[in-house]
Amino acid sequence: MNTENKGVLVIYTGGTIGSMPKDPNDTASPQVVVDWNDFLDRTSVLKEGLGYRLGFAKLSVALDSCDIGPEHWTEMAEIIENNYDDYEGFVILHGTDTMVYTASALSFMLANLAKPVVLTGSQRTHLFQARNDGLQNTITSLSIANPKATGIPVIPEVMICFGTDLLRGNRSKKKDANGYIAYESPKYPNLAKIGANIEVNEARILPIPDGAFFVRKNLELNVIDFNVFPGVVHNGVADLLFDSKSFTPKGAVVRAYGAGNIPTDEKFLARLANASQNDPKVTMINVTQCTQGRVELGLYETSNKLLAFGMVSGTDLTPEAAMVKLMVGLADEDLQYDQVGLRNFLQTNQAGEQSTSIYEMPFPTPAANLSSGKPRFRFPADRDLPGTWEPSELEGVQLRLYGAKVTGPAEDEALEIDVYANLSSNEEPSGPESTKFAGRFRKAPTADASIISFDVTAATRRLFRPGQRSSFSLILASEKGDLEWQRAELGLFVKE
Ligand code: ASP
């Protein structure tokens, strides 16, 4: 076993932790960030060390984190890349205002990370204030970044260490502008509780990855954060953002209400639909404005329309994580906007940032319909079932028909459709007792084309595994009526 302790690389970026009053004779004068030499000179714990090796690096200019952006994330990622093998872990001293963005961005940029990267800062600095949280936060972060020295488990993640909390960076939110407990992770448990001891919640930390560490350095800057609010449909802001000659975003985070809903005003929706489908295409990802819970596109009529025009589901991503995931995904030339590309990258878990991954598998069949003259239709897959999952991890599986219209056997009478899984084309369906039976569904007549889904979770759990070929068959159970559609896909929701 290699017992050499390589120590920690401390990366200084500025922030309150590195700030002093502009006028040294007036402690009430506005604070400004000091340069690295000044910082080190006044930080005895870094100068004298903690009994193991410390290395130091810095951003080319120390900044208040309000001025930190994608170019600085790349700088930080490159520092880690260049020093990756030489240290046990990394501590980034950073301002609190945009720490969540930096932590989220680095979590996607540092792919297959096997070492701790800990971001910390302070609400009061130790540089000139005796009562401060900067020193404690720095020392605790060093302990987490050097598991060999402290005996705690290796946490191979980008984290935020602040006050009594150790949080997954891409799950964090800044919740307090002044308090010493400044961050929270509302949708994922804390990675550790920090007190006299550092109690790591081992069940919740990411596993050490199998693949080799690499860095994604490019970021798409042409993105916007679009918050819907009551009245947004009347003020022209959607036209300005999505139909302007001078500004054409490549991506947009759409902060929606509740489970992913936005106003249904036709002009407004059409503006978003055009921007999302026509060139130059804007990739839109939907997140919730709520602190808890997740987006479930298709749950309500209002969000079904978004799914129909290609909105990416952000499930329970924080808006900050969604924004930087979009920046990273859009800048990656290998990802195309199709099933295996950008959409897949955005909707599946990359670094513990979301609780559910969504895999979509389109069926290669053309537009078709089901009627008494043609009561049976089979969707055979032309590719293997995506993802890695155990049947118990499948939260849901939907067979979705896009551009679908239902005509009932009589006005206001629902159409009944049986769905089977894995039925070969010449095999007779053998009824509800058969293991291949996925259910009988009643679908109300529709006025316009929309998305019709069939919940095929139980049959998928029973019959299919990732990597297998699947097929689904629809059989009209009503004597009359009609179901027509444009295209079909399978949507798999997998618990992470
Ligand atoms: N404006 C400061 C920054 O983010 C606030 C802080 O560090 O607490 O750099």
Side-chain angles (χ1 to χ4, degrees):
M1 200 174 102
N2 177 13
T3 50
E4 179 206 357
N5 188 332
K6 296 175 173 175
V8 177
L9 181 71
V10 177
I11 305 167
Y12 177 67
T13 75
T16 293
I17 195 168
S19 294
M20 297 272 291
K22 197 168 182 174
D23 176 354
N25 299 316
D26 176 8
T27 50
S29 65
Q31 294 184 29
V32 289
V33 171
V34 301
D35 74 19
W36 162 247
N37 291 330
D38 209 356
F39 182 82
L40 182 63
D41 219 35
R42 293 167 191 271
T43 310
S44 49
V45 67
L46 295 184
K47 266 200 308 191
E48 288 155 21
L50 290 163
Y52 49 80
R53 176 176 167 244
L54 291 181
F56 303 115
K58 59 183 174 63
L59 276 192
S60 42
V61 206
L63 293 167
D64 184 295
S65 79
C66 301
D67 291 321
I68 284 188
E71 67 274 35
H72 307 108
W73 303 336
T74 304
E75 223 182 305
M76 290 177 221
E78 281 174 343
I79 293 173
I80 293 175
E81 182 181 35
N82 294 336
N83 292 280
Y84 190 72
D85 293 331
D86 300 335
Y87 292 92
E88 305 298 333
F90 302 86
V91 168
I92 302 178
L93 302 173
H94 197 286
T96 62
D97 286 337
T98 65
M99 193 184 293
V100 164
Y101 283 97
T102 299
S104 301
L106 290 177
S107 77
F108 300 118
M109 296 168 81
L110 306 175
N112 291 332
L113 180 68
K115 298 190 174 190
V117 174
V118 191
L119 282 96
T120 198
S122 71
Q123 299 280 29
R124 281 170 76 91
T125 177
H126 58 283
L127 297 186
F128 73 104
Q129 288 161 315
R131 195 172 71 75
N132 69 78
D133 56 336
L135 214 50
Q136 239 0 283
N137 284 347
T138 304
I139 296 169
T140 309
S141 299
L142 288 168
S143 306
I144 291 157
N146 194 345
K148 267 197 187 149
T150 45
I152 64 165
V154 176
I155 311 177
E157 305 201 20
V158 180
M159 297 162 262
I160 288 183
C161 173
F162 216 90
T164 54
D165 300 317
L166 181 70
L167 310 173
R168 178 169 295 165
N170 57 31
R171 295 288 195 142
S172 305
K173 302 280 300 174
K174 185 173 179 186
K175 68 166 178 185
D176 197 324
N178 319 104
Y180 280 0
I181 314 279
Y183 297 91
E184 63 180 341
S185 171
K187 299 183 198 174
Y188 194 78
N190 292 8
L191 300 181
K193 196 162 164 267
I194 293 157
N197 301 316
I198 298 172
E199 293 164 28
V200 178
N201 186 353
E202 282 194 62
R204 306 318 293 248
I205 65 181
L206 289 175
I208 305 275
D210 292 333
F213 174 71
F214 71 98
V215 179
R216 297 188 179 103
K217 294 184 190 170
N218 298 332
L219 294 142
E220 173 58 56
L221 306 187
N222 209 352
V223 287
I224 55 168
D225 192 347
F226 181 55
N227 205 42
V228 302
F229 56 90
V232 69
V233 301
H234 301 304
N235 63 12
V237 68
D239 298 345
L240 207 66
L241 291 175
F242 298 118
D243 189 31
S244 144
K245 295 276 168 292
S246 55
F247 177 60
T248 47
K250 287 231 171 81
V253 173
V254 178
R255 297 197 195 207
Y257 303 128
N261 307 308
I262 67 170
T264 56
D265 175 88
E266 270 182 29
K267 245 186 86 198
F268 175 73
L269 270 185
R271 170 65 60 236
L272 264 65
N274 284 342
S276 152
Q277 289 175 318
N278 299 340
D279 275 346
K281 184 200 286 280
V282 187
T283 298
M284 295 185 192
I285 180 163
N286 186 300
V287 295
T288 178
Q289 292 176 8
C290 301
T291 331
Q292 306 249 331
R294 66 178 186 184
V295 157
E296 294 191 55
L297 289 186
L299 187 63
Y300 296 103
E301 183 69 17
T302 43
S303 68
N304 215 1
K305 299 203 163 116
L306 308 188
L307 195 58
F309 71 62
M311 179 79 81
V312 172
S313 178
T315 63
D316 64 347
L317 285 176
T318 62
E320 293 91 338
M323 172 55 83
V324 296
K325 198 175 182 185
L326 195 56
M327 287 177 163
V328 171
L330 283 167
D332 190 328
E333 285 171 7
D334 294 338
L335 300 175
Q336 300 302 315
Y337 191 59
D338 65 14
Q339 291 312 123
V340 285
L342 180 58
R343 202 174 162 84
N344 186 53
F345 173 83
L346 294 173
Q347 292 195 137
T348 58
N349 179 53
Q350 306 295 330
E353 73 278 13
Q354 58 193 63
S355 311
T356 301
S357 282
I358 303 174
Y359 297 92
E360 291 167 342
M361 188 188 72
F363 288 104
T365 49
N369 79 317
L370 206 63
S371 63
S372 50
K374 211 166 34 121
R376 185 166 167 171
F377 190 90
R378 183 165 179 268
F379 297 100
D382 64 348
R383 61 190 79 186
D384 298 339
L385 272 178
T388 37
W389 40 267
E390 295 293 326
S392 62
E393 291 164 344
L394 277 183
E395 287 178 353
V397 185
Q398 291 178 353
L399 173 63
R400 293 179 187 146
L401 306 184
Y402 285 81
K405 268 183 94 169
V406 175
T407 312
E411 207 184 335
D412 288 338
E413 200 181 322
L415 194 67
E416 292 198 323
I417 300 145
D418 288 343
V419 180
Y420 284 83
N422 245 359
L423 204 64
S424 43
S425 13
N426 48 11
E427 185 181 347
E428 274 313 305
S430 47
E433 301 307 317
S434 144
T435 54
K436 296 185 174 181
F437 185 69
R440 171 163 291 187
F441 298 86
R442 292 171 58 78
K443 297 292 175 193
T446 50
D448 311 307
S450 62
I451 299 176
I452 306 263
S453 336
F454 301 92
D455 182 342
V456 293
T457 315
T460 306
R461 278 197 194 123
R462 204 164 51 233
L463 296 169
F464 298 127
R465 296 292 174 267
Q468 291 180 347
R469 287 295 161 105
S470 58
S471 78
F472 286 91
S473 300
L474 300 184
I475 297 172
L476 192 64
S478 301
E479 298 218 327
K480 283 200 297 193
D482 183 273
L483 168 66
E484 60 178 82
W485 62 90
Q486 297 300 316
R487 61 185 176 90
E489 77 181 14
L490 201 65
L492 297 103
F493 296 75
V494 177
K495 189 172 159 40
E496 289 296 339

